Amino acid sequence: MTGERLRDVLVALLVACVAVGVAPALGGLYQYLLLPVHAWRNHLGDAAPYLPNVAVLIPAWNEAAVLTASVGRLMRLQYPAERLRVYVVDDASTDDTPEVVRALAERYPGRVVHLRRDQGGQGKAHTLNHGIERVLADDWMQALLITDADVIYRPDSLRRMTRHLADPRIGAVTAYIREGSERPGAVARFIGYEYVTAQACARRAQNVLGALACLAGGAQLHTRENLEALGGRIDTSTLAEDTVTTFLTQLDGRQVVFDGSAVVLAEEPDSVRALWKQRARWARGNAQITRRFRHLWFRPSRTHRLGSFGFGLIWFSTYALPFTLVLASVGLVGLHLVSPGTATGLFGTLWWVGVAAYVYVTVTALLVDLDTARRSWFEGLTFPGFGALALVVAAGFPEFWPVVVPGWFGLELSDAGREAMLLLLYSWPALSMAVAHVVRAVEGRRWVGWLSRPLLYAVGFGPLLCAITLDAYVQERRGAAMVWDKTEKTGKVAE
């Protein structure tokens, strides 16, 4: 093979790397294009007023700070009192949780039940199974609502969820969990915007596809028949028990739907370290799910839609995102070294893709949830990070950073300086994940802790999540112990 031919092959491979690198953006854009269809293709037409006997299951380990508010709101739901019972499964708590639950049981006799586990620390799924065994032993329960100790339900949320169970084809329903801290910090505001994209938007698109990726762990309503068909137990072999339940329900031919008008509020982590612990667990769970259900990806079935191309595109666009960011950087840097003209042309073309996806997704997400938009509009705009936004500007206006900006200060970059700037921009997709580790490292540190928030906005919440996901994959590959680390809550949800 001649040198010129070898160069052409290398250029083609590098272009392919860049194409694969931007593919997840197209996958994400695909589900947003489905959003308008949800106005016509949803389950509301088959829903009807329906008020079954609902048992609410709350797993609780050291949740004394939040239980009084969350259970109190459940007691005040717009739902017949005689049709609602709350079971708090106390996972051998060492704080005042037992006393708090006993006080609630005295305040609401017959409506609040305290279930105490002598052996705790086995994980959420084991705690839930302890409660499920109890409620299934009683014929009274017709539907089971699984929630978290800190989740606050709006008055009409449960009624909106149960109406879907009037359709016998439905096995489970999930609600929209909105970040609801009274005074959210930067991380919590980013999570608020993320939940709009990952729940309010993505799950509406999945409703259109007829395949739901996950029942929200703090807002999942099951029919009794669905629980019994699943064996009367929640999966304990993974870190994503809610996703396993969601998949198994649909594989058995029962439908799962999302109701975005059923809104519940939850307190989410407001530090990068707490977020890292939580999301690493989630990402490891998703890796386990991907492996466990590898036989169904992109294999259409008459009984479910999980194997459809559309659902697979959405799933893997998220699952593979950390790897594709690295590929994008490798492709752009390699092209710049091998064929600078090709790199510049491709970079400019990607500008249109990046701008279109960014503007459409951001505007759509902020319009879907105006309450969150008012709290987190800046985090929505900066979700990709200032570094990524600088990359977009560089693609559309190549002279802006190397010529215009230095010119404001009466400077002129040398050829070496321009080269270094281009390499920095091209490598930023991968580099941003490395800097995300710095954000976690400096957070809370003396003298340098103040840098964590500026660095977070520079890196962006999206790349931070990718860094966490990649770290989780490494943990999973190494066979790290499956530990269900509890996310600490303080009871600061705005009621």
Side-chain angles (χ1 to χ4, degrees):
M1 182 179 293
T2 64
E4 185 175 346
R5 176 61 177 164
L6 183 61
R7 177 182 173 279
D8 290 342
V9 171
L10 182 57
V11 168
L13 288 174
L14 292 170
V15 169
C17 285
V18 177
V20 173
V22 301
L26 299 178
L29 185 60
Y30 165 69
Q31 64 181 348
Y32 274 82
L33 293 174
L34 294 176
L35 271 178
V37 184
H38 191 258
W40 296 275
R41 186 169 179 174
N42 55 59
H43 186 258
L44 293 175
D46 295 313
Y50 181 56
L51 303 172
N53 294 337
V54 177
V56 182
L57 204 58
I58 304 177
W61 180 73
N62 291 354
E63 301 283 9
V66 298
L67 276 169
T68 299
S70 57
V71 173
R73 286 298 292 263
L74 288 170
M75 293 294 99
R76 298 194 297 273
L77 287 176
Q78 296 171 357
Y79 205 84
E82 69 278 6
R83 293 186 177 274
L84 186 69
R85 295 177 186 172
V86 176
Y87 295 80
V88 180
V89 187
D90 176 5
D91 194 36
S93 297
T94 57
D95 69 347
D96 294 335
T97 294
E99 289 74 18
V100 170
V101 180
R102 280 194 287 268
L104 289 167
E106 291 177 3
R107 187 186 307 174
Y108 306 105
R111 299 188 65 198
V112 176
V113 180
H114 180 209
L115 302 178
R116 173 78 176 181
R117 294 190 73 206
D118 294 327
Q119 179 185 358
Q122 294 177 302
K124 182 179 180 180
H126 287 277
T127 307
L128 288 174
N129 285 335
H130 183 85
I132 291 173
E133 182 179 1
R134 170 68 179 270
V135 297
L136 283 178
D138 188 342
D139 292 337
W140 178 86
M141 188 269 287
Q142 296 173 308
L144 177 71
L145 176 65
I146 296 176
T147 184
D148 291 326
D150 67 299
V151 172
I152 297 293
Y153 276 70
R154 287 190 167 178
D156 63 348
S157 51
L158 183 56
R159 296 175 68 101
R160 291 179 180 274
M161 295 174 74
T162 58
R163 60 182 171 171
H164 296 281
L165 302 186
D167 183 350
R169 298 172 299 174
I170 302 301
V173 182
T174 192
Y176 170 32
I177 296 184
R178 176 188 288 163
E179 205 293 318
S181 301
E182 285 183 327
R183 295 179 178 84
V187 174
R189 291 195 301 272
F190 269 122
I191 293 174
Y193 174 76
E194 179 213 0
Y195 277 8
V196 177
T197 62
Q199 291 190 57
C201 295
R203 286 177 181 162
R204 279 181 169 89
Q206 291 163 25
N207 272 350
V208 173
L209 290 174
L212 205 71
C214 183
L215 291 158
Q220 47 180 307
L221 180 69
H222 298 268
T223 64
R224 184 187 187 98
E225 293 74 18
N226 188 50
L227 281 174
E228 291 175 338
L230 294 174
R233 296 184 63 79
I234 299 295
D235 178 80
T236 59
S237 65
T238 74
L239 290 168
E241 75 287 337
D242 44 8
T243 308
V244 173
T245 300
T246 309
F247 274 48
L248 292 179
T249 296
Q250 294 170 97
L251 289 173
D252 282 347
R254 294 176 298 281
Q255 296 179 25
V256 178
V257 296
F258 167 73
D259 192 324
S261 66
V263 179
V264 302
L265 306 177
E267 177 188 354
E268 296 299 333
D270 204 13
S271 74
V272 172
R273 291 175 182 271
L275 177 76
W276 202 291
K277 182 172 65 173
Q278 179 196 64
R279 298 308 177 87
R281 185 178 73 247
W282 293 7
R284 287 190 64 192
N286 286 339
Q288 293 162 2
I289 295 295
T290 304
R291 183 170 61 250
R292 175 169 175 169
F293 295 99
R294 58 187 177 277
H295 61 281
L296 65 80
W297 302 117
F298 302 107
R299 297 181 183 179
S301 169
R302 293 182 179 180
T303 59
H304 63 83
R305 297 282 296 165
L306 294 174
S308 67
F309 176 81
F311 182 75
L313 178 63
I314 291 173
W315 180 273
F316 283 98
S317 291
T318 302
Y319 181 80
L321 188 55
F323 306 112
T324 57
L325 287 180
V326 174
L327 278 177
S329 289
V330 169
L332 285 171
V333 171
L335 277 175
H336 178 70
L337 297 176
V338 176
S339 178
T342 304
T344 301
L346 184 59
F347 196 43
T349 301
L350 291 178
W351 180 77
W352 296 102
V353 177
V355 168
Y358 171 71
V359 171
Y360 179 72
V361 169
T362 304
V363 171
T364 302
L366 292 175
L367 289 176
V368 164
D369 185 346
L370 294 177
D371 288 340
T372 297
R374 281 188 282 270
R375 286 160 52 107
S376 302
W377 64 268
F378 185 69
E379 285 68 31
L381 295 176
T382 58
F383 193 83
F386 286 121
L389 296 179
L391 193 67
V392 171
V393 172
F397 309 97
E399 299 299 308
F400 182 76
W401 295 112
V403 177
V404 177
V405 173
W408 291 344
F409 303 95
L411 301 175
E412 183 177 349
L413 285 183
S414 64
D415 290 342
R418 296 183 63 143
E419 181 80 1
M421 180 173 288
L422 272 177
L423 288 175
L424 175 63
L425 290 169
Y426 289 162
S427 62
W428 181 251
L431 187 61
S432 62
M433 291 193 292
V435 181
H437 286 267
V438 178
V439 177
R440 180 179 66 163
V442 303
E443 185 181 63
R445 301 287 185 181
R446 189 177 182 183
W447 307 118
V448 295
W450 63 272
L451 285 171
S452 65
R453 291 303 176 260
L455 282 174
L456 174 60
Y457 283 96
V459 168
F461 199 73
L464 172 66
L465 294 180
C466 287
I468 297 173
T469 300
L470 193 58
D471 181 48
Y473 292 165
V474 172
Q475 293 181 36
E476 186 65 16
R477 180 67 178 174
R478 290 176 176 174
M482 291 200 305
V483 180
W484 195 84
D485 292 321
K486 176 180 176 291
T487 303
E488 296 295 331
K489 303 297 176 67
T490 60
K492 295 181 180 177
V493 174
E495 295 190 56

